[in-house]
Amino acid sequence: MPEYLEICKDLPSAGCTMLAGGTDLIPRYEMGQEMPDYLIDLKKLSELNQITVSEEATVIGALTSIQDIHDNHTLRTEFEALHLASHDFAGAQIRHRGTIGGNICNASPAGDLLPPLYAFDGLLNLEGPDGERILPINEFILGPGRTALKEFELLTSITLTRNGFKSNFQKVGLRQSMAISTVNVAFVYNTEFTHINIAAGAVSPTVVCLDHFTSAFLKDQTHPTDFIQLIDEDISPIDDIRATAKYRTQVLKNLVNQFIKSQMT
C-alpha cells in the first residue's frame, strides 16, 4: 500500500483506473470504451490477497479471488451464503481471476456476492491518501456503478463478524452460471429466528434488505406468509432485457415464501 500511495501522488485522478481481476473492466475496453491514461494493476498488493480468521471476525482481502472464497473452509462452514454465491459465480476462468473487491466496486445491482455481504452486515475497510476508514457495505454502494470511494482510495478488505448465524443464497437467472442474475437473495438467521436478515439483488438500484418483511416476521411468526406483500415496500424493480419488474417481484416473493416455509416446518 505505501508504494501505491506514493505512485498516486504524481497522477491525475481523472485519468486513472484501478485494475483488480479485470473480468468486468477489460471486456468494456474490448467493446470500445475509452482507455484511461493510467491503468494501475493492483494484483501485486499481496497483503490484499488473503483471508484472515480471528476469534471475532473473518477478514477477506479485496483481491481475494472468487475461487479462493469458494474454497475457504471458514467461509464454507460459517458464511454459507457467500460460499454458495461464489459457487454459482460465472465460470471457472472468471472465478479464478475475478476478485471480491472488484465485484463490490463494480456496484452492480445484480452482483452475486453482494446480497450475502449485505445480509451479514459486512464492513468495508478503505484506505487512501487521507487515511483509513470503515463503511458498512450499504453505505458504500450508492447506485449502479457508483460507490463512496474517494480520490485514489482503495477497498482493502471486508470484515464479517463470526456470529454463528446460519445462511442461504438463492439465484434465479437464464442459466445456473455464466448469466447475470434476474433475482438473487441471501438469508442470514439463527435457529430460534430471533434474528433474520434478507438481502435481495436485481430488484432495486442497489441491493436492498427486506426490512419491512423481516420486522413484521420477527414480531409474529405464526402466519409469516401474511407479510409477504410487505416486500413491495423495500424494492423497486424495473423492466429490462432479462425480466419484467412484475416477474422479479413475484420470483422474490416466491423465494422468500419458500425459504420461510422450509424453515418453519
Side-chain angles (χ1 to χ4, degrees):
M1 280 298 295
E3 182 182 2
Y4 163 78
L5 295 174
E6 185 65 29
I7 291 173
C8 291
K9 290 181 180 179
D10 300 320
L11 296 178
S13 61
C16 291
T17 297
M18 310 307 162
L19 175 68
T23 56
D24 285 308
L25 199 59
I26 298 304
R28 293 177 189 172
Y29 295 143
E30 291 177 344
M31 293 176 65
Q33 179 174 313
E34 185 177 353
M35 289 284 290
D37 295 328
Y38 300 93
L39 190 62
I40 303 177
D41 190 348
L42 305 175
K43 274 294 187 180
K44 290 191 177 181
L45 294 176
S46 58
E47 65 268 33
L48 306 189
N49 186 10
Q50 53 189 309
I51 300 173
T52 306
V53 181
S54 67
E55 186 174 345
E56 298 82 16
T58 296
V59 180
I60 308 170
L63 293 181
T64 303
S65 73
I66 310 302
Q67 189 64 46
D68 284 344
I69 289 169
H70 176 272
D71 295 341
N72 183 268
H73 176 74
T74 300
L75 296 179
R76 183 170 66 251
T77 56
E78 297 186 26
F79 303 94
E80 187 178 6
L82 188 60
H83 167 76
L84 292 172
S86 66
H87 179 77
D88 289 338
F89 196 100
Q93 290 177 317
I94 293 177
R95 286 196 298 272
H96 280 84
R97 179 71 188 180
T99 67
I100 186 171
N103 196 240
I104 295 170
C105 292
N106 193 45
S108 167
D112 282 336
L113 299 188
L114 301 185
L117 296 176
Y118 273 69
F120 281 119
D121 296 317
L123 296 176
L124 305 189
N125 308 288
L126 312 173
E127 188 173 348
D130 296 332
E132 299 180 29
R133 62 186 180 127
I134 298 174
L135 276 182
I137 189 169
N138 63 319
E139 294 181 18
F140 176 79
I141 297 178
L142 306 178
R146 295 174 51 239
T147 72
L149 280 174
K150 297 179 180 178
E151 185 175 283
F152 288 119
E153 191 173 47
L154 291 182
L155 167 61
T156 57
S157 63
I158 303 94
T159 300
L160 303 177
T161 303
R162 299 178 71 188
N163 289 319
F165 292 145
K166 296 185 175 184
S167 63
N168 194 277
F169 172 82
Q170 297 181 38
K171 167 182 176 176
V172 174
L174 299 180
R175 300 187 299 272
Q176 185 65 23
S177 295
M178 293 300 291
I180 298 173
S181 292
T182 302
V183 174
N184 52 22
V185 58
F187 306 88
V188 173
Y189 58 100
N190 60 8
T191 305
E192 301 80 14
F193 271 112
T194 55
H195 171 88
I196 182 169
N197 202 3
I198 304 174
V203 291
S204 286
T206 65
V207 170
V208 291
C209 291
L210 306 183
D211 293 334
H212 286 86
F213 170 81
T214 55
S215 178
F217 173 74
L218 290 172
K219 291 177 182 177
D220 180 7
Q221 299 179 20
T222 56
H223 300 93
T225 57
D226 292 348
F227 310 127
I228 290 295
Q229 297 307 317
L230 293 176
I231 290 174
D232 290 332
E233 300 185 31
D234 291 308
I235 64 176
S236 53
I238 61 171
D239 297 338
D240 63 18
I241 60 173
R242 291 188 298 279
T244 64
K246 182 178 179 180
Y247 175 81
R248 284 190 163 94
T249 300
Q250 191 59 56
V251 166
L252 178 58
K253 290 178 179 179
N254 290 347
L255 291 174
V256 173
N257 192 34
Q258 180 182 14
F259 171 79
I260 294 298
K261 283 184 175 180
S262 69
Q263 298 301 316
M264 301 297 289
T265 55

